[in-house]
Amino acid sequence: MMELKEKAMEGVAASPGFAIGSALILQLEHEIVRQKKILPSEIRAELERFEKAILQTKEDLLKAKASLSSLGLTVEESLFDMQILALEDEMILQAVKEKLERDLVCVEAAYQDIIRSFIAGLNKIGDDEYLRERAIEIRDLAKRVLKKLQGEEGYTPILDSPRILIADLLMLSDLVSLDLRHVAGIVTEDRSRTSHAVILARSQGIPAIVGVPDLLQSITNGQTILVDGSKGILIVNPSAEKIEMMKKQALSCFFYEKKDHEILSQKVQSQDGQKVYVSANIEFPEDIPVMLKSGADGIGLYRTEFLFLKSNRPPTEEEQYQLYRNAAVNAKPNPVIIRTLDLGADKVVAYLPWRWMEENPVLGARGIRISLKEKEMFKTQLRAILRAAVEGNVSVMFPMITDLSEVLATKEIIEQAKEELSTQGIPFGEPQCGIMIETPSSCLIAEHFAQIVDFFSIGSNDLIQYTLAVDRMNNNVEYLYQPFHPSVLLLIRMAADAAIKKNIPISICGEMSSDIYLLPFFLALGIDRLSMGSVFIQRTKRAVQFLDVSKIRGSLEPLWRAKTAQEVFEILKEITRSFLPPIFFKS
């Protein structure tokens, strides 16, 4: 009998928890449609078949939504609402009709070609997580519709024991077609942590890991898989000793998680009494219930650009108001910080064609630069935010600020919006106004900005990118993207010092905010507001309770003499490990 060799693999933690089960590989179905010519007289019948397939697919989605609704899972319901909207996308339906009439091919072939062109267009725009997820969503729907057109229902595995789903890309339809009671864990090659399937996994407490390279080449059906969704580690063919060790770790985590449930509705503080606010980053309305379950102290970053990317026109004031109001009401009394439109670089929209002409969009019209160029669109968004501020603790934040004139110009537009609302008799609130600190210039003149805004929020992803002159989407220079680089930490300290001197709050909301090795550093600088993905909130709150900020401050001095990112990391690792128990770190 061949010996089963234990193998460890690593990806990105997407949904916390431990799981063990046998592998079930879900191969992505590549639809193959034979192109069949039709006669002009057959067009009507083909269109009727298409309309019927769309209707049947919609009925399936509604049934799945109702099924989850009966279990009280409202998050998943909204995922299906978005799929139904995409299914009935007028642009796609019209394109299929035109192709059918022009090329005289069967409707399956016409539909598949249009979907492929649509997905290719999304993928060409850039390596953007939102657009990649929309492409997945469209592909998922197309699979459903093509099955209806071909009279197939497809094969659905019957699960009767704990299984670990292994997939290149896991679609929502794949997941909901299975008996979730037996889905113990999920591992994918695709690296999206915010796909609808992963959102569903998190809401169901199913451990998940994404972004595992060469996954499908390394695992076969039926192999025993151990998943640590908190650390992003999976073990193939784990030994009995490894399983026992992981079970003990799981029990330890269970202890901490039970303790967390007791403090979820409370603010946390460090050992020496420093209060720390841990809030959530969100993009979509369906993120709000997840945020509430996570124990977040509000919404520290509401990325509104995704509302603008979802359609071929800007959202209306009323559409935006309803979404912002919903966030404010649900988060109340905790704060909601709404970041205004941050289009730019790889986020482009059809209704701003002038942006397509830029040769270097990363250094071109981004964030506030677009808003100040498209003033009416900007004012519409500000009016919606001002109105939503009546309903809760709402603040507004402006991205890509590099110059004081941008803040002053923005404040003028806010005043104009208030005047209009007042004249029209529409109630509005008085949100605090802050800026994103995400360029070296904003750090260097942070003292000046602190005189004219109410708060700072550090956008660490762009701050690293612009400080180190590294495009984080460019694989050729990705190795230079270093969160622990001394220059990045010095700029963060500069911004924190300016905020504290003026006595205004400062938070951090990029990927660095959830890095456990940087947590002591941020708290020691006085950055006591952290905003991150909901999945990291419990762990961060737990960690805060072990830290003694006054002692950490006394141990930071060697950090400022460090010359490299590696030296910085080693110092912070030593500090962090001296306060936190081993369970917080990878083995």
Side-chain angles (χ1 to χ4, degrees):
M1 183 176 177
M2 189 174 67
E3 183 182 354
L4 297 175
K5 188 176 179 182
E6 182 177 291
K7 180 179 180 180
M9 302 178 74
E10 187 167 0
V12 178
S15 180
F18 291 86
I20 186 166
S22 59
L24 174 63
I25 297 177
L26 297 179
Q27 294 281 10
L28 193 63
E29 293 180 44
H30 298 282
E31 303 84 9
I32 300 175
V33 173
R34 189 166 63 87
Q35 191 172 98
K36 176 186 168 188
K37 281 288 184 181
I38 62 170
L39 297 172
S41 59
E42 294 175 308
I43 291 175
R44 184 178 180 83
E46 288 295 285
L47 285 174
E48 286 176 355
R49 279 206 308 126
F50 184 50
E51 289 169 4
K52 183 180 177 184
I54 294 289
L55 186 60
Q56 289 175 331
T57 305
K58 184 177 179 179
E59 287 173 352
D60 285 351
L61 291 170
L62 289 171
K63 284 178 186 172
K65 176 183 172 182
S67 173
L68 293 175
S69 178
S70 66
L71 300 175
L73 304 177
T74 55
V75 180
E76 293 73 21
E77 281 186 59
S78 62
L79 300 184
F80 285 102
D81 287 338
M82 293 183 70
Q83 286 218 327
I84 291 170
L85 281 175
L87 176 71
E88 298 177 326
D89 187 301
E90 280 295 329
M91 189 169 66
I92 293 177
L93 298 181
Q94 182 61 28
V96 171
K97 181 174 183 290
E98 290 173 1
K99 185 172 181 61
L100 192 69
E101 294 171 343
R102 183 180 63 246
D103 296 348
L104 293 177
V105 294
C106 63
V107 72
E108 291 95 326
Y111 182 63
Q112 181 173 257
D113 280 356
I114 293 299
I115 290 297
R116 283 178 173 170
S117 299
F118 193 81
I119 291 173
L122 289 175
N123 290 334
K124 273 183 185 175
I125 292 174
D127 188 16
D128 178 86
E129 191 160 13
Y130 172 80
L131 296 177
R132 190 168 61 250
E133 286 162 14
R134 298 293 71 75
I136 293 170
E137 194 173 283
I138 297 296
R139 196 170 164 183
D140 190 17
L141 283 169
K143 187 175 73 173
R144 288 173 179 264
V145 174
L146 285 171
K147 280 182 178 176
K148 296 294 182 190
L149 284 169
Q150 296 173 320
E152 299 173 3
E153 290 302 326
Y155 165 71
T156 301
I158 297 174
L159 308 186
D160 55 6
S161 62
R163 306 299 294 269
I164 306 295
L165 304 186
I166 305 293
D168 169 16
L169 175 66
L170 187 64
M171 295 183 177
L172 183 61
S173 61
D174 294 326
L175 191 53
V176 298
S177 66
L178 300 171
D179 185 344
L180 293 180
R181 293 173 300 174
H182 297 300
V183 177
I186 293 170
V187 187
T188 68
E189 281 192 14
D190 182 75
R191 60 188 172 85
S192 174
R193 290 187 302 180
T194 52
S195 69
H196 287 164
V198 174
I199 290 173
L200 175 58
R202 272 199 294 272
S203 69
Q204 296 298 294
I206 300 171
I209 302 171
V210 300
V212 180
D214 302 322
L215 180 66
L216 295 181
Q217 290 76 28
S218 307
I219 295 176
T220 56
N221 263 323
Q223 282 184 307
T224 301
I225 307 291
L226 195 154
V227 172
D228 183 346
S230 303
K231 297 178 180 175
I233 295 174
L234 70 150
I235 311 290
V236 184
N237 299 322
S239 63
E241 293 77 16
K242 180 70 76 175
I243 293 173
E244 191 60 28
M245 184 186 80
M246 296 292 266
K247 281 182 176 177
K248 286 180 180 175
Q249 288 187 5
L251 283 173
S252 299
C253 278
F254 179 67
F255 168 77
Y256 285 123
E257 285 171 7
K258 277 187 71 82
K259 193 175 176 184
D260 278 344
H261 285 298
E262 296 168 6
I263 64 165
L264 275 180
S265 60
Q266 303 170 15
K267 303 291 186 291
V268 291
Q269 60 183 31
S270 62
Q271 288 279 316
D272 55 333
Q274 179 170 323
K275 289 182 180 176
V276 178
Y277 304 89
V278 187
S279 54
N281 298 338
I282 73 164
E283 285 89 27
F284 306 107
E286 62 264 31
D287 293 336
I288 292 173
V290 180
M291 176 275 294
L292 292 171
K293 286 182 185 175
S294 73
D297 302 323
I299 299 169
L301 172 63
Y302 191 159
R303 297 185 177 103
T304 61
E305 54 272 18
F306 295 102
L307 310 177
F308 291 75
L309 287 163
K310 285 172 66 174
S311 175
N312 56 4
R313 60 165 178 78
T316 65
E317 177 182 322
E318 188 62 22
E319 288 169 339
Q320 293 185 68
Y321 165 68
Q322 292 297 338
L323 292 170
Y324 305 154
R325 177 186 176 280
N326 179 51
V329 168
N330 278 285
K332 201 174 180 178
N334 288 319
V336 176
I337 300 178
I338 300 173
R339 184 176 72 185
T340 57
L341 182 62
D342 190 20
L343 291 177
D346 53 351
K347 298 173 194 156
V348 295
V349 291
Y351 48 84
L352 295 179
W354 57 269
R355 277 214 63 254
W356 299 358
M357 306 301 290
E358 292 186 318
E359 291 184 1
N360 191 350
V362 174
L363 297 180
R366 292 196 55 187
I368 196 67
R369 299 171 186 178
I370 290 182
S371 294
L372 292 177
K373 190 175 177 66
E374 300 286 341
K375 289 183 180 174
E376 285 306 310
M377 187 172 74
F378 188 34
K379 193 193 293 181
T380 298
Q381 182 175 33
L382 291 172
R383 282 173 55 104
I385 295 171
L386 289 167
R387 291 172 59 194
V390 175
E391 306 290 346
N393 184 1
V394 173
S395 298
V396 59
M397 177 165 68
F398 309 109
M400 273 298 287
I401 296 286
T402 57
D403 192 272
L404 270 69
S405 64
E406 294 166 326
V407 179
L408 298 175
T410 296
K411 286 191 167 185
E412 280 186 19
I413 299 174
I414 291 175
E415 291 308 312
Q416 291 171 15
K418 286 180 181 176
E419 192 173 331
E420 288 177 4
L421 290 169
S422 180
T423 302
Q424 295 165 354
I426 300 173
F428 60 90
E430 295 286 347
Q432 291 201 318
C433 298
I435 61 170
M436 295 285 292
I437 298 289
E438 51 192 343
T439 63
S441 66
S442 61
C443 295
L444 292 166
I445 59 171
E447 282 196 26
H448 301 317
F449 282 122
Q451 304 293 322
I452 58 173
V453 300
D454 298 314
F455 64 91
F456 290 161
S457 183
I458 297 170
S460 60
N461 301 345
D462 276 328
L463 181 59
I464 297 167
Q465 174 172 256
Y466 289 119
T467 301
L468 302 179
V470 174
D471 180 353
R472 64 178 188 264
M473 300 296 185
N474 185 335
N475 292 334
N476 295 324
V477 294
E478 191 180 25
Y479 68 98
L480 291 171
Y481 186 82
Q482 299 176 347
F484 292 90
H485 196 281
S487 61
V488 175
L489 270 56
L490 282 168
L491 286 170
I492 290 175
R493 183 177 72 169
M494 195 173 287
D497 287 347
I500 290 167
K501 185 177 178 182
K502 184 59 183 171
N503 196 29
I504 63 172
I506 180 168
S507 64
I508 183 159
C509 60
E511 291 298 314
M512 289 173 78
S513 63
S514 60
D515 192 313
I516 205 74
Y517 291 112
L518 285 164
L519 178 60
F521 170 74
F522 293 137
L523 299 190
L525 290 187
I527 302 172
D528 55 7
R529 294 160 198 261
L530 311 157
S531 190
M532 60 192 67
S534 296
V535 70
F536 300 108
I537 287 173
Q538 286 193 30
R539 183 186 67 166
T540 303
K541 282 194 164 186
R542 287 203 305 268
V544 166
Q545 295 179 306
F546 287 95
L547 299 175
D548 186 319
V549 180
S550 59
K551 289 181 180 175
I552 296 168
R553 287 197 187 100
S555 59
L556 280 189
E557 196 53 39
L559 195 67
W560 309 120
R561 296 194 294 274
K563 299 185 179 85
T564 67
Q566 186 60 38
E567 287 181 33
V568 168
F569 175 69
E570 293 299 331
I571 293 168
L572 290 176
K573 186 169 75 170
E574 185 177 344
I575 292 172
T576 309
R577 286 179 179 268
S578 70
F579 285 97
L580 299 184
I583 195 166
F584 283 97
F585 307 102
K586 293 181 180 179
S587 56

